[in-house]
Amino acid sequence: MKPSSSALFDGVLARGEVATAVGDDAWLTAMLQVEATLAQVQAFSGLIPQADADAIAGCARPEHFDAADLGARAAASGNPVVPLVERLRALAGPAGPSVHLGATSQDILDTAGMLVAAQALRPLLADLAACADQAARLAREHRDTRMVGRTLLRQAAPTTFGLKAAGWLTGLDAARRRLEQVRRERLAVQFGGAAGTLAPFGDDGPDVVESLATLLGLAEPVVPWHTERTRVAELAGALGGAAGTVAKIARDLTLMAQDEVDEASVAAGPSATAPDRKPIAAVCALGSAASAPGLVADLLAAMAHEHERAAGAWHAEWRPLRELLVCTGSAASWLRAALERLLVHPDVMRANLARATTASGTADDAADAAGVLVDRALQAHTKSP
């Protein structure tokens, strides 16, 4: 699974830690972890000798494998697990027949995908949480900062910047909660064997799945989900929702930074000149998030798997899933940078409001009403996990 990365563009479109967490090395490590853990579980169940499981674990190390070579050899079988298992069996010597016992390639790759996603969600969720905290700070500090409200890109009734930031906050908290729920409940181990029946294990099959899920830290499915792809769809939907939330905030920041508006700007970085207040971080967040809807659609379109094993739809998931994690992670990382360096211009907000309306009482009434809503958003944020 060669990464679709670019040294030229990744500085903008693959910012943060998520891109590394879903790279080839991460996938290789995850696949080997699944194979080694499966062997240990089978040894616990008396299905293979413990010595074989220990030998497999000793050989299932990334340094013994070349991801590029596995990817090239995958063309013969249609997936990289087959050459990986061949190599692992050769390394394991006498323990080779115990490698991958009763498993099918999709068991290993799907489970590895869940492990990779779980790992990638950690920095993504951390960035979303940091963004939410920044939005909460802005809402608190500007609870009563009056500004022009805008609907259909035109001036409307007065509002407050605190309420605008509170809207950002509730969206970020909702996106984060949904991703947390998916990570906790829907990232599940995959193990069913050739046709998803667990037939090679007889009555021990469910126990093997339970133990494998426990040791890998993944959810235990009721039945194998080889062609029932709602888990992938839910992950895609949650990532798409997070990307959309980030994009909305970034869009607001770019609009507020326009010269004729000038209600917010970004503090100049160490390499920027003092007058340079271009919203680069917000622009890059928008650029990163823009790929998410199409990638979500690709994953939803790939849900129609035939019978007990898909003829191509499974393969069609691999790149969109990884790229969706990368673009959403990059967008969240960029937004965090934008919010942490955001400069709010209350004086400009007041001046714009004064030009827009002479009804100061209306602005005061709006601020009072908005303050109640800001307080509610902040209270809900403190209760967020």
Side-chain angles (χ1 to χ4, degrees), residues 15-263:
R15 190 181 198 270
E17 299 178 25
V18 174
T20 301
V22 300
D24 282 355
D25 289 344
W27 277 89
L28 175 58
T29 299
M31 287 189 289
L32 292 171
Q33 181 184 357
V34 177
E35 292 285 5
T37 305
L38 175 61
Q40 289 294 334
V41 168
Q42 292 176 342
F44 297 157
S45 302
L47 300 170
I48 66 172
Q50 183 63 52
D52 283 8
D54 294 341
I56 293 168
C59 297
R61 299 180 182 278
E63 58 266 26
H64 298 322
F65 297 80
D66 184 318
D69 177 65
L70 293 177
R73 293 169 58 198
S77 58
N79 73 79
V81 177
V82 173
L84 179 139
V85 170
E86 291 173 352
R87 171 70 174 158
L88 185 55
R89 283 174 174 159
L91 290 170
S98 294
V99 172
H100 198 70
L101 184 66
T104 192
S105 295
Q106 190 171 349
D107 290 335
I108 305 305
L109 198 57
D110 274 352
T111 303
M114 296 293 99
L115 290 173
V116 167
Q119 188 65 28
L121 286 178
R122 298 181 195 279
L124 172 55
L125 286 165
D127 282 337
L128 290 175
C131 289
D133 288 342
Q134 289 297 320
R137 174 185 62 81
L138 292 168
R140 190 178 302 108
E141 292 177 0
H142 296 279
R143 179 184 184 276
D144 301 316
T145 300
R146 294 158 177 78
M147 67 180 299
V148 175
R150 296 177 174 90
T151 66
L152 306 181
L153 290 177
R154 296 181 63 83
Q155 294 177 349
T159 185
T160 67
F161 182 61
L163 184 56
K164 183 184 291 289
W168 299 345
L169 171 62
T170 55
L172 288 163
D173 279 345
R176 187 163 54 92
R177 282 194 300 270
R178 181 62 181 136
L179 278 171
E180 287 276 14
Q181 182 184 22
V182 169
R183 184 178 70 167
R184 184 176 60 252
E185 300 176 7
R186 299 298 286 162
L187 300 187
V189 72
Q190 174 79 280
F191 194 69
T197 63
L198 288 170
F201 303 101
D203 293 341
D204 292 327
D207 292 336
V208 170
V209 176
E210 179 184 10
S211 298
L212 189 60
T214 299
L215 291 179
L216 292 174
L218 296 173
E220 178 190 355
V222 176
V223 298
W225 47 281
H226 290 140
T227 57
E228 194 279 281
R229 309 305 284 181
T230 53
R231 297 176 188 278
V232 177
E234 289 177 41
L235 175 58
L239 289 167
T245 298
V246 168
K248 181 273 184 290
I249 300 169
R251 182 74 71 196
D252 281 353
L253 294 179
T254 58
L255 292 172
M256 293 174 69
Q258 293 178 107
D259 288 339
E260 59 271 30
V261 179
D262 196 30
E263 293 175 342

